[in-house]
Amino acid sequence: MFDLTPEIIALLGVASVIAGFIDAIAGGGGLISLPALLSVGLNPVAAIATNKVQGSVGTASALWNFWRKGRVDFRLIRWPLALVAVGSGLGAFAVTLVDTRWLMILLPVLLIGIALYFLLGPKAADEDAAARLTPLAYAFVAGGIGFYDGFFGPGTGSFFALSLVMLLGMGLTRATAHTKALNLMSNVVGIVVLAVGGHVVWVLAGIMAVGQFIGGRLGSHAAMRFGPRLIRPLLVVISLAMTARLLSDPANPLRAMIAGWLGL
């Protein structure tokens, strides 16, 4: 159990502001907030549950700001939102039934692929392009990402942003704005499942929610002001940082596989 000292409050407050800022722009704020929660003595399940609650506040803050500036069309994504909710609920239920170790092998590969796409692929501009799928067809892709978020989670924002750019033809800033709506829906459903199980530490979630709100507003302003000049490099950095974070764990099965191939 942790002692809620002024130092802990300051640590979590600063961490949540930074995480909210980064998350509003490119996703991946959990790289900062989740280790901060673990550092104060929470067990991993409680840390993940609490992180979802406080992270949702930052996402909602960023979404509100994007929506006020006319960057979010809820009618366009009404079907994706519905299937994200279904997918996230099913994913949160499925995680209690199956082994997630194989995802630890697949996820770093996917994140490296996202980083390479934004680094080397066609330049993602702020102008919309021709959509490859209708919103209804895209809803099934979004539902799959929602299932992944409920089941596991890291990198969800990057997956939504990439799919919106590639499949719905959105410019990068507009894709970032709509990512917040989809991610918030997924998080809220996951929170309900985890809260019913009693895993959320509400006092810490409340402390960090304040910082997330501030960081989310600042990050969304920065994203709208600087557009792809800021979003594109941050998506690359965050994807690679999440990959490094995952592979830094000695228990990661992909790391063990690579070490075996190299005879280490």
Side-chain angles (χ1 to χ4, degrees):
M1 190 59 188
F2 57 89
D3 295 318
L4 195 57
T5 64
E7 290 79 11
I8 286 179
I9 293 174
L11 166 68
L12 296 180
V14 171
S16 61
V17 171
I18 297 172
F21 181 86
I22 292 174
D23 216 39
I25 299 170
L31 284 170
I32 296 169
S33 56
L34 188 57
L37 285 164
L38 291 169
S39 73
V40 303
L42 266 66
N43 67 69
V45 175
I48 290 171
T50 304
N51 187 60
K52 273 191 174 292
V53 174
Q54 60 90 32
S56 293
V57 174
T59 302
S61 171
L63 174 60
W64 172 255
N65 206 31
F66 280 122
W67 177 76
R68 286 178 62 245
K69 300 294 184 180
R71 301 299 184 103
V72 181
D73 182 354
F74 284 105
R75 290 187 63 189
L76 177 68
I77 59 169
R78 62 186 183 276
W79 285 112
L81 282 170
L83 266 69
V84 162
V86 173
S88 181
L90 292 174
F93 176 73
V95 76
T96 64
L97 304 176
V98 300
D99 184 7
T100 62
R101 281 176 54 84
W102 64 272
L103 281 172
M104 298 300 288
I105 297 174
L106 181 61
L107 181 59
V109 177
L110 293 175
L111 289 171
I112 290 173
I114 288 174
L116 290 175
Y117 176 83
F118 282 110
L119 186 64
L120 304 175
K123 187 175 182 180
D126 243 6
E127 294 77 23
D128 290 349
R132 291 181 170 89
L133 295 179
T134 66
L136 180 58
Y138 172 74
F140 292 94
V141 176
I145 298 173
F147 179 89
Y148 164 79
D149 192 31
F151 189 77
F152 194 57
T156 298
S158 298
F159 297 148
F160 275 132
L162 177 63
S163 65
L164 288 166
V165 169
M166 292 185 65
L167 302 178
L168 283 191
M170 290 187 180
L172 197 50
T173 303
R174 188 168 175 237
T176 300
H178 286 81
T179 287
K180 302 310 160 195
L182 298 170
N183 217 348
L184 182 62
M185 174 63 78
S186 180
N187 277 342
V188 168
V189 174
I191 287 167
V192 170
V193 174
L194 292 167
V196 168
H199 298 296
V200 178
V201 181
W202 292 103
V203 64
L204 296 187
I207 291 169
M208 298 186 76
V210 176
Q212 276 278 351
F213 180 83
I214 296 169
R217 291 295 296 272
L218 294 174
S220 58
H221 275 298
M224 287 184 284
R225 179 176 180 182
F226 298 105
R229 287 180 297 157
L230 179 63
I231 299 170
R232 184 185 178 102
L234 265 182
L235 278 167
V236 173
V237 170
I238 291 299
S239 295
L240 293 177
M242 282 190 285
T243 301
R245 176 77 180 173
L246 289 165
L247 294 180
S248 68
D249 182 1
N252 186 283
L254 180 57
R255 174 174 170 170
M257 288 172 57
I258 294 172
W261 293 338
L262 300 175
L264 301 177

